[in-house]
């Protein structure tokens, strides 16, 4: 009598079960890998945006100059003003030097800058002229911002407000803390009007 070679139904079912478990584990691993890559990419983008913001502010504030300006109605404004991040006023207002002019436009090499919190965006506004001009299109520094707080350093002490009798005086340093939705506060410190010697 000739015997039949092959698998029994139970052996086939066990093999299919093992194959199904391996395939399910592979799909789960691939899904986890794709999600981890997306989360890492999002986090790296966020860190890169923070680095760009910090670099821009460090460059701006290091080149701050003690220049009094005038607003659109001609009223004098201090060379540097800052709030604690509350209210409609810009959180920072200053004039920076070193504004490059590669096209040779007829303008000064200094630039008036404002950092403002608009809705949930931290924006940098610049002015073509230091006196009496209106702001150009803002640059968004950060989104999803819930709160901004600042401290100012002068004479070895940190204070929550910047007040000085002389409107041309700049603080020695500024500490900016930005709180976004679902993230811990990002705190950065910048020298103001620094010169390399």
């Amino acid at each position: 009598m000739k015997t039949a070679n092959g698998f029994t139904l139970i052996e086939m079912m066990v093999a299919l079960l093992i194959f199904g478990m391996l395939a399910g584990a592979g799909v789960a691993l691939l899904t986890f890998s794709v999600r981890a890559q997306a989360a890492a990419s999002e986090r790296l983008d966020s860190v890169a945006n923070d680095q760009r913001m910090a670099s821009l502010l460090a460059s701006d504030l290091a080149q701050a100059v003690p220049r009094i300006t005038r607003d659109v109605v001609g009223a004098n404004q201090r060379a540097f003003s800052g709030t604690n991040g509350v209210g409609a006023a810009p959180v920072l207002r200053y004039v920076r030097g070193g504004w490059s002019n590669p096209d040779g436009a007829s303008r000064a090499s200094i630039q008036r800058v404002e950092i403002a919190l608009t809705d949930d965006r931290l924006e940098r506004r610049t002015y073509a002229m230091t006196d009496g001009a209106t702001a150009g299109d803002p640059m968004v520094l950060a989104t999803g911002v819930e709160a901004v707080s600042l401290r100012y350093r002068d004479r070895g002490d940190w204070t929550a407000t910047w007040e000085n009798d002389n409107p041309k005086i700049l603080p020695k340093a500024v500490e900016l803390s930005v709180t976004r939705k679902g993230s811990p506060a990002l705190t950065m410190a910048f020298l103001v009007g620094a010169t390399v010697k």
Side-chain angles (χ1 to χ4, degrees), residues 81-124:
S81 65
T83 66
N84 59 3
V86 178
V91 292
L92 283 176
R93 183 185 296 121
Y94 51 89
V95 176
R96 67 180 290 263
W99 187 19
S100 62
N101 192 1
D103 56 355
S106 58
R107 62 167 174 78
S109 63
I110 58 175
Q111 181 180 41
R112 184 161 50 122
V113 179
E114 291 179 350
I115 307 298
L117 183 59
T118 306
D119 298 326
D120 68 342
R121 297 182 316 275
L122 189 65
E123 297 178 341
R124 177 182 183 265

Side-chain angles (χ1 to χ4, degrees), residues 67-72 75-76 112 127-134:
R67 163 69 152 80
I68 294 174
T69 60
R70 287 185 292 276
D71 61 15
V72 291
N76 282 344
R112 184 161 50 122
Y127 294 78
M129 303 294 171
T130 51
D131 296 317
T134 56

